[in-house]
């Protein structure tokens, strides 16, 4: 049981880490000072993921 709880916690930390990176990447895009390529390089997301992130954000506005 302890291993299962540890695994859940590890997954939650990873999800939080990814969400933080996604938020930072979105702020970079919204600032208009960074290209898709720059956001991709900094965040580690692929160029397609960065473009999808921006498109999803535009759809929510």
């Amino acid at each position: 049981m302890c291993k299962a709880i540890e695994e859940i916690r590890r997954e939650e930390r990873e999800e939080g880490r990814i969400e933080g990176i996604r938020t930072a990447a979105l702020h970079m895009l919204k600032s208009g000072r960074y290209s898709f390529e720059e956001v991709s390089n900094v965040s580690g997301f692929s160029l397609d993921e960065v473009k999808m992130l921006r498109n999803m954000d535009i759809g929510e506005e």
Side-chain angles (χ1 to χ4, degrees):
M1 178 93 157
C2 189
K3 292 241 186 230
I5 292 171
E6 288 176 17
E7 179 63 21
I8 291 169
R9 287 182 178 164
R10 186 193 65 74
E11 289 173 5
E12 288 174 347
R13 279 192 303 272
E14 180 65 12
E15 288 172 9
R17 185 186 71 78
I18 292 170
E19 181 62 23
I21 294 170
R22 187 191 76 77
T23 299
L26 192 51
H27 285 295
M28 291 174 71
L29 290 168
K30 283 183 175 183
S31 76
R33 292 185 282 175
Y34 303 94
S35 68
F36 290 128
E37 292 81 8
E38 289 170 316
V39 175
S40 175
N41 287 336
V42 170
S43 68
F45 293 144
S46 71
L47 193 55
D48 287 338
E49 289 171 318
V50 172
K51 289 178 181 178
M52 267 195 329
L53 178 63
R54 182 60 182 151
N55 290 338
M56 286 176 16
D57 182 61
I58 290 171
E60 294 174 3
E61 292 179 357

